[in-house]
Amino acid sequence: VAGVLDGIKVVELGLFAVGPWASKHLGAMGADVIKVESPDGEPSHMIPPYIHGTAALYISANLNKRHIVLDLKDDADRETALKLIDDADVFIENMRPGAVARLGLGYEVVSARNPRIVFASASAYGSTGPMSTYAGADPFVQAFCGWCSTTGAPGTEGELLRYMAHLDLTTGSVLTEAVLLALVARGRTGLGQRVEVDMLTAGLTIQTTRLAEYFMTGVQPAPAGSAATTTAPNQAFACSDGRYVAVGVETDERWQALCLALGIGDVADDARFVKNESRVANRAELIAILEPVFRAKPATWWTQTLTDHRVPNSRILETDWIRMHPQVTANELLVEVDTPHWGRIVVDGPPWRFGGTPLAPQHAGGLKGEHTTDVLGERVPAHAAVTS
Amino acid sequence: MTGPLEGIHVLDLSQGLAGPFAAMRLGDAGADVIKVEPRSGDVSRTWRGSAETATESSAYLSVNRSKRGVSVDAGGDRGRDIVRKLIAWADVVIEDWGPGQADRVGLSYDTVSKNHEGLVWCAVSPFGEAGPMKDLPGTELVVQAMSDYMNSLGEIGEPPIRIGSDIANLNTGIFAVQAIAAALVRKSISGQGQRLAVNMLATMTHMRGLMWTCMSHPDEWYGLFNDHFTRAPDYGYKVENGRVFWGLRRGNSEDWDRLMIELDMLDHMHDPRFAGYGREATSIGRYAPEVKPLWEEAFHKKEMTREAVIELVLSAKGDAVPWCDFDTLMEQPHVHERHLVTTIEHPSAGTYRALSPSWTFFDTPAVVQSPPPELGQHTDEVLAELGLAAELVRSLHETGVVS
């Protein structure tokens, strides 16, 4: 089984989630990915929880790869790393800015030997500017980039997303994007190039719409519970059984459908609510009308009725439920993978489908250095001869 | 044009946020992007916050730069012929009509790729192309509610909280760009295009994947990605003039002693929750929530500002940042030096601020290519490029097929 990136070779010197997640994507697309670690291992090995003694973060972020160990402070091993990269299409690293160059694997060195290399770096705050030397981690970038300031209960100053990975994985995703775009450019120019992304910029990127509201008005979009800023009604409503239903009305047609579903046809053509712009302007009055209607019946009634009227809706699904949800199983969004070291584990399915070059099933990577002998024997026979 | 996608033609047949965001990113990356809107305009043009006064909505402006715009009524045969001509022009098509809808109007991938085998077609949907919800409309909030994100915000038993940002949409746009770029890499080798699909629910379960693996028979429950359900909301650390977020990961005993002396907190030196030089007592550490009031009290007694706390923590080899709202963020020297924000001049909305492109390509730079189009701004220009005679274009206008 091939995959869309069949034949593309990737060498990754990644730490924690960002760099590894990018090469995990490329591996899922069929690239041949080699993860290089120092003899001590990368720091994600230290992050709990563990599965059979291996950090689950390490397992999750390093699917679809082969794992080797090289001591990059040792001349022979560094030369081996360079030989691996000579033969590669993509090199990914997310050490602090400048660190990879100090190891003798900087862009100038690498590209002089392999001008076709796409040399991709990710950092916390970018390679220039007063914060370029800061170590970054997901919650710090969350706090800094403004992301928390639009999330939370009304009246608060915003809260952290306690799943401390969304900005890490977004940065990894933007890194994958950059690598693939540079590979497209290489198809035209014949040359690789250096590309950089950073967590701060990625964190701003996925706030594009909220920041645009701020840029256009000068007004901070405040934490608003479950409510959207520029459409209404677009929030969760409490039902008679104490459960909540998330309801999203983003067009005037859906507003009409919602009123039918709720049995409040007389409100549908009320001039205060007939257009989205007026519903947003008169949001408080609008919600005051809708809340008692939702509170009169249980969530089950509303999800059925709203779905019958094609009004976007869902309960707030409980975690355990999600794996069994028919929409999740039908699209194989969460899948179980048999692994050599950790039993059968749940992993995320790939976020894309390729009609012409179907993806191979994902596979567990391995333990630190598990494939060193195999990979070096195959790619750098001279090294294997020296060390065996 | 400049950028890695120079020479690539993209047809954006999508509305709202996810598809248009993907097409905009391809435009920033140098592709020639044409956006097709119905005569009534992209629905996002109606998404306006109550403080918005510009001629165009912030939502529309934020995801549609670096494109040209045409307005076509694709419901009739003549309009659909124009869309067919645009598909023939395109290397890449992005649509979000819903599973099976393209087939229904005779524009299925199989049909349009017959004489256009290099075509890359990317379908964007809320819930994917299989399953009981595939034909239902979806929204940002609904997908957040289905993908577990709301379970790590707010408090158990209190009203649900959403992520303020539109991540189900925008992260999907990023995945669409990945899929399209990967397909273009393939095409440059094989000459073959293909049909791609992304969806918002898959995006969010994928982004949540780290948690799913962490919950998969862990040796012990405790850990960074497992305890978020039961923790209280984290609002950072309150100080005199705002909030900060900070933590200790690298300091040695000397750094730790100095920090505790500076803060008059020596009483706590033997508290086991502060062991390991405070690593578990700060940031997202295991005991951070319960000892947070002790730190805040110490900052308060010393009348420390945000800046003073950050300086002290950095001097102890910790990490510290201001807890930023958008005003605070825009005041940060780092944001200015990195040119993270640029300005765009729009013919009717005026000059406004916008984010710079997300990536730095050192040889083929990505840039904002052009302001977001007004409705139908490039209709005539594009129809002329497609080879339609001026006479015909006039008739299309008169009959309401284009505008």
Side-chain angles (χ1 to χ4, degrees), chain A residues 63-245:
Chain A
L63 299 173
N64 313 321
K65 309 175 186 177
R66 292 186 289 172
H67 298 231
I68 73 170
V69 162
L70 291 173
D71 180 0
L72 296 174
K73 289 173 179 146
D74 173 86
D75 288 344
D77 272 13
R78 188 188 311 113
E79 187 54 30
T80 300
L82 283 167
K83 288 210 170 89
L84 272 177
I85 302 170
D86 286 348
D87 189 32
D89 301 281
V90 178
F91 177 60
I92 289 177
E93 62 90 15
N94 66 316
M95 290 187 280
R96 294 235 213 144
V100 76
R102 286 193 292 278
L103 284 174
L105 300 174
Y107 177 68
E108 283 70 26
V109 173
V110 166
S111 62
R113 299 168 58 125
N114 177 4
R116 285 176 57 79
I117 195 83
V118 171
F119 188 104
S121 302
S123 62
Y125 298 98
S127 59
T128 61
M131 293 174 71
S132 60
T133 55
Y134 281 39
D138 188 285
F140 292 90
V141 181
Q142 279 196 48
F144 183 76
C145 77
W147 155 274
C148 300
S149 72
T150 62
T151 298
T156 66
E157 291 171 56
E159 67 178 72
L160 278 177
L161 171 62
R162 301 194 295 273
Y163 172 56
M164 304 291 176
H166 194 85
L167 295 192
D168 276 337
L169 305 190
T170 296
T171 310
S173 302
V174 171
L175 185 58
T176 308
E177 243 187 334
V179 165
L180 291 167
L181 290 168
L183 285 173
V184 177
R186 190 182 74 168
R188 187 176 70 246
T189 65
L191 292 173
Q193 63 180 306
R194 188 173 164 201
V195 301
E196 273 184 15
V197 306
D198 62 89
M199 289 182 69
L200 171 58
T201 304
L204 296 180
T205 295
I206 53 167
Q207 298 182 78
T208 289
T209 39
R210 292 297 85 73
L211 279 164
E213 289 155 26
Y214 169 75
F215 288 144
M216 297 307 288
T217 64
V219 179
Q220 164 82 37
S226 60
T229 47
T230 59
T231 51
N234 194 340
Q235 65 179 67
F237 289 93
C239 305
S240 64
D241 52 356
R243 299 178 194 279
Y244 285 82
V245 173

Side-chain angles (χ1 to χ4, degrees), chain A residues 45-58:
Chain A
H45 289 289
M46 310 298 289
I47 310 279
Y50 302 92
I51 302 173
H52 296 189
T54 304
L57 163 60
Y58 182 83

Side-chain angles (χ1 to χ4, degrees), chain B residues 284-331:
Chain B
I284 55 173
R286 187 168 197 159
Y287 307 110
E290 56 182 275
V291 301
K292 181 183 282 189
L294 301 176
W295 294 112
E296 288 185 333
E297 192 192 336
F299 297 150
H300 180 68
K301 277 192 183 149
K302 294 271 173 179
E303 295 179 5
M304 292 179 80
T305 60
R306 202 162 58 192
E307 294 69 29
V309 171
I310 290 171
E311 196 185 329
L312 175 65
V313 172
L314 293 180
S315 78
K317 299 199 192 75
D319 302 312
V321 292
W323 179 280
C324 292
D325 60 12
F326 290 164
D327 278 340
T328 312
L329 176 68
M330 291 304 143
E331 290 162 7

Side-chain angles (χ1 to χ4, degrees), chain A residues 210-374:
Chain A
R210 292 297 85 73
L211 279 164
E213 289 155 26
Y214 169 75
F215 288 144
M216 297 307 288
T217 64
V219 179
Q220 164 82 37
S226 60
T229 47
T230 59
T231 51
N234 194 340
Q235 65 179 67
F237 289 93
C239 305
S240 64
D241 52 356
R243 299 178 194 279
Y244 285 82
V245 173
V247 179
V249 170
E250 297 182 337
T251 68
D252 298 335
E253 294 73 30
R254 298 251 187 268
W255 162 246
Q256 297 290 328
L258 174 72
C259 290
L260 278 179
L262 298 183
I264 51 167
D266 52 320
V267 182
D269 296 318
D270 186 319
R272 290 173 300 170
F273 308 133
V274 78
K275 292 278 177 204
N276 179 61
E277 205 171 337
S278 50
R279 287 192 297 278
V280 170
N282 300 307
R283 189 195 306 261
E285 290 127 289
L286 172 68
I287 301 308
I289 291 170
L290 300 182
E291 273 179 342
V293 180
F294 277 98
R295 274 190 197 282
K297 291 200 171 88
T300 304
W301 167 268
W302 291 126
T303 53
Q304 293 179 54
T305 307
L306 293 170
T307 300
D308 288 347
H309 286 82
R310 295 183 61 76
V311 177
N313 75 89
S314 173
R315 290 252 296 274
I316 318 299
L317 298 185
E318 286 175 28
T319 306
D320 294 334
W321 235 81
I322 292 170
R323 259 183 72 194
M324 271 76 85
H325 193 283
Q327 198 59 26
V328 171
T329 55
N331 288 283
E332 299 179 314
L333 303 185
L334 295 167
V335 294
E336 294 189 2
V337 172
D338 285 316
T339 68
H341 309 295
W342 315 295
R344 198 165 170 81
I345 59 168
V346 179
V347 305
D348 41 277
W352 358 253
R353 298 289 181 272
F354 291 87
T357 53
L359 300 165
Q362 299 200 91
H363 62 91
L367 301 170
K368 179 186 75 182
E370 181 168 346
H371 310 105
T372 304
T373 308
D374 290 353

Side-chain angles (χ1 to χ4, degrees), chain B residues 77-346:
Chain B
D77 289 344
R78 294 178 79 194
R80 205 163 301 149
D81 277 344
I82 293 171
V83 173
R84 253 191 216 102
K85 283 194 169 69
L86 285 165
I87 292 172
W89 165 86
D91 301 296
V92 176
V93 172
I94 298 175
E95 57 88 359
D96 62 354
W97 300 334
Q101 293 302 311
D103 306 34
R104 213 156 298 168
V105 294
L107 293 174
S108 73
Y109 170 75
D110 289 343
T111 310
V112 298
S113 64
K114 269 209 183 83
N115 299 311
H116 189 357
E117 63 179 21
L119 182 65
V120 172
W121 180 287
C122 183
V124 182
S125 67
F127 305 119
E129 304 197 322
M133 295 179 71
K134 70 183 168 67
D135 296 321
L136 293 176
T139 65
E140 175 69 36
L141 175 68
V142 167
V143 176
Q144 287 196 19
M146 290 178 67
S147 56
D148 204 45
Y149 271 80
M150 297 172 88
N151 294 328
S152 35
L153 292 166
E155 293 185 65
I156 292 170
E158 293 295 310
I161 308 290
R162 60 164 277 178
I163 298 286
S165 302
D166 296 321
I167 56 176
N169 276 284
L170 301 185
N171 283 99
T172 298
I174 292 169
F175 286 139
V177 172
Q178 290 182 358
I180 289 164
L184 289 172
V185 171
R186 185 89 214 148
K187 178 188 164 183
S188 71
I189 300 162
S190 69
Q192 287 287 331
Q194 58 180 310
R195 185 178 185 282
L196 316 169
V198 298
N199 72 80
M200 285 160 55
L201 185 60
T203 292
M204 293 290 267
T205 48
H206 175 86
M207 296 298 286
R208 199 82 176 168
L210 192 41
M211 178 201 78
W212 286 104
T213 299
C214 287
M215 287 174 53
S216 191
H217 304 287
D219 302 338
E220 293 285 343
W221 179 252
Y222 175 77
L224 178 54
F225 303 101
N226 284 351
D227 64 342
H228 49 96
F229 304 108
T230 47
R231 282 203 175 196
D234 192 334
Y235 306 110
Y237 291 75
K238 182 99 183 101
V239 294
E240 297 303 307
N241 60 343
R243 290 172 191 277
V244 293
F245 194 77
W246 69 287
L248 298 169
R249 286 189 295 180
R250 286 175 302 280
N252 57 25
S253 77
E254 203 176 305
D255 300 312
W256 173 242
D257 291 352
R258 203 178 61 249
L259 182 80
M260 296 302 264
I261 292 166
E262 288 279 339
L263 292 172
D264 277 343
M265 287 180 73
L266 290 174
D267 290 353
H268 300 289
M269 288 296 262
H270 300 291
D271 183 332
R273 296 173 301 180
F274 289 77
Y277 313 140
R279 279 169 178 73
E280 295 294 338
T282 57
S283 171
I284 55 173
R286 187 168 197 159
Y287 307 110
E290 56 182 275
V291 301
K292 181 183 282 189
L294 301 176
W295 294 112
E296 288 185 333
E297 192 192 336
F299 297 150
H300 180 68
K301 277 192 183 149
K302 294 271 173 179
E303 295 179 5
M304 292 179 80
T305 60
R306 202 162 58 192
E307 294 69 29
V309 171
I310 290 171
E311 196 185 329
L312 175 65
V313 172
L314 293 180
S315 78
K317 299 199 192 75
D319 302 312
V321 292
W323 179 280
C324 292
D325 60 12
F326 290 164
D327 278 340
T328 312
L329 176 68
M330 291 304 143
E331 290 162 7
Q332 300 297 314
H334 187 78
V335 171
H336 291 272
E337 277 199 36
R338 296 278 298 157
H339 304 291
L340 301 182
V341 177
T342 183
T343 56
I344 293 178
E345 282 173 47
H346 186 272

